Amino acid sequence: MFTIRLAFGLRLILATLLFSSLAQAGPISTGHVSDRGQRAYPRRTLGGVSVIDTPIVRAAETFARQHGQDFVYKHIMRSWLFGTLIIQHNETLRATVDPEVHAVAAILHDLGWDQTDGSPMVSPERRFEVDGAIAARDFIRSHSHGKRWEERRVQLVWDAIALHTQDSIALFKEVDVQVVQKGVVMDFEGPKFGVTEDEYAAVAREFPRDDLQHGVNETITWLCTTKPKSTYDTWMQPWGEHFVPNYTAVGSRVFDRLLS
Ligand SMILES: *[C@@H]1O[C@H](CO)[C@@H](O)[C@H](O)[C@H]1NC(C)=O
Ligand SMILES: *[C@@H]1O[C@H](CO)[C@@H](O)[C@H](O)[C@H]1NC(C)=O
Ligand SMILES: *[C@@H]1O[C@H](CO)[C@@H](O)[C@H](O)[C@H]1NC(C)=O
């Protein structure tokens, strides 16, 4: 009896040890893939999507969550997952996009939307896309996790964020920049670029889209109100004209002078 109980206890301890080591190894136990630099990255599954799981990507997620409202956090996570699906459906992109650059850029692309009073990341005069790009660059430099990022990779993140609302430029840049833009767009326009309805729905179940429209509308109106000059003559101008009193008075389009 005693030996049976001991054996059972031992099995329990062994099972517990095994389980906790598996739990610790959880994020990296789902396999490795290589990127264009032939590096293997640990992975985890999120919203049905297998994504890269490195310390800086985890830190970026935490940082974005701390510096964005709930709807922003869900939007940037979906944008990352949609971009990842785009890459996975395209052999060329799988071979060429740097998954860590893509992840960090997608996750940090809306830091310029931080409405916290006195946020150091929101300037009084720059476009929010540029605020976000600068904040992401600062983040990367202060969170290098023991390994300094090459300037080229930092530059790609900066460009991807600064241009993520301008497809007329972003789509002619590096693949990493293109995929960030496409992932963000998919959150507004539904599945495309090879991504299926089912994949899209699984991501939206993990990070629901119900508050996206209201949140974006409120945020763009906030930008047009608090720093109108950085929104005039951009895709945000219609919000200012609809919702902000005297908005057009702030405008002075450079090229208007050529017409008069
Ligand atoms: C894959 O991505 C490349 C680079 O963006 C693009 O040129 C190509 O058309 C894509 N292939 C498919 C099948 O969509
Ligand atoms: C967008 O925001 C404006 C200003 O707050 C508001 O008047 C309008 O009803 C909102 N529209 C939607 C679709 O949420
Ligand atoms: C808009 O401009 C007009 C004319 O300059 C001014 O009388 C009015 O107070 C302004 N409204 C707001 C909300 O600033």
Side-chain angles (χ1 to χ4, degrees):
M1 199 59 191
F2 177 73
T3 50
I4 289 168
R5 235 186 278 150
L6 184 69
F8 180 74
L10 204 62
R11 281 216 311 277
L12 201 67
I13 290 166
L14 284 175
T16 309
L17 282 176
L18 184 65
F19 179 77
S20 61
S21 73
L22 279 177
Q24 273 171 15
I28 59 165
S29 64
T30 46
H32 292 72
V33 295
S34 296
D35 74 334
R36 64 175 168 214
Q38 301 302 309
R39 276 166 297 179
Y41 285 115
R43 306 187 72 80
R44 68 179 153 142
T45 299
L46 207 51
V49 185
S50 169
V51 290
I52 176 174
D53 186 22
T54 60
I56 195 166
V57 171
R58 287 265 177 162
E61 184 185 339
T62 304
F63 192 73
R65 185 160 220 166
Q66 286 164 348
H67 294 281
Q69 299 168 60
D70 218 41
F71 94 86
V72 182
Y73 171 71
K74 289 185 285 177
H75 164 61
I76 56 104
M77 293 300 279
R78 288 189 304 267
S79 300
W80 173 34
L81 299 180
F82 292 148
T84 305
L85 286 168
I86 294 170
I87 296 167
Q88 289 171 1
H89 277 284
N90 183 310
E91 209 171 320
T92 309
L93 296 176
R94 276 206 307 276
T96 52
V97 175
D98 180 328
E100 199 171 48
V101 164
H102 168 251
V104 169
I107 291 170
L108 299 182
H109 84 261
D110 275 334
L111 291 177
W113 281 3
D114 182 12
Q115 293 194 39
T116 318
D117 265 347
S119 167
M121 291 181 293
V122 175
S123 73
E125 79 286 10
R126 291 186 295 256
R127 281 179 74 142
F128 83 85
E129 297 96 329
V130 174
D131 279 345
I134 293 171
R137 185 173 59 198
D138 291 347
F139 170 88
I140 294 167
R141 288 184 175 156
S142 60
H143 288 79
S144 53
H145 293 277
K147 210 172 97 205
R148 205 178 139 76
W149 271 39
E150 294 152 29
E151 274 310 302
R152 167 74 175 159
R153 302 177 81 217
V154 181
Q155 179 77 59
L156 286 171
V157 169
W158 200 98
D159 290 356
I161 296 178
L163 293 170
H164 78 267
T165 59
Q166 301 295 313
D167 60 348
S168 57
I169 302 175
L171 296 184
F172 300 91
K173 292 275 294 172
E174 294 81 355
V175 282
D176 318 70
V177 176
Q178 293 176 30
V179 168
V180 170
Q181 196 274 340
K182 288 178 174 173
V184 172
V185 160
M186 245 174 69
D187 199 27
F188 294 97
E189 298 184 352
K192 45 172 141 182
F193 310 120
V195 177
T196 68
E197 298 271 355
D198 285 352
E199 289 169 328
Y200 195 89
V203 170
R205 267 197 303 279
E206 184 82 23
F207 300 104
R209 296 176 68 254
D210 50 339
D211 47 6
L212 178 70
Q213 191 189 358
H214 174 81
V216 171
N217 180 48
E218 189 274 329
T219 302
I220 304 309
T221 305
W222 168 73
L223 288 166
C224 291
T225 306
T226 56
K227 42 183 196 176
K229 282 206 168 102
S230 75
T231 62
Y232 199 84
D233 203 16
T234 75
W235 63 274
M236 294 176 276
Q237 184 170 336
W239 268 267
E241 286 169 350
H242 276 90
F243 303 127
V244 181
N246 289 347
Y247 178 77
T248 47
V250 308
S252 72
R253 286 194 274 193
V254 172
F255 297 107
D256 282 355
R257 271 182 245 138
L258 299 178
L259 294 170
S260 56

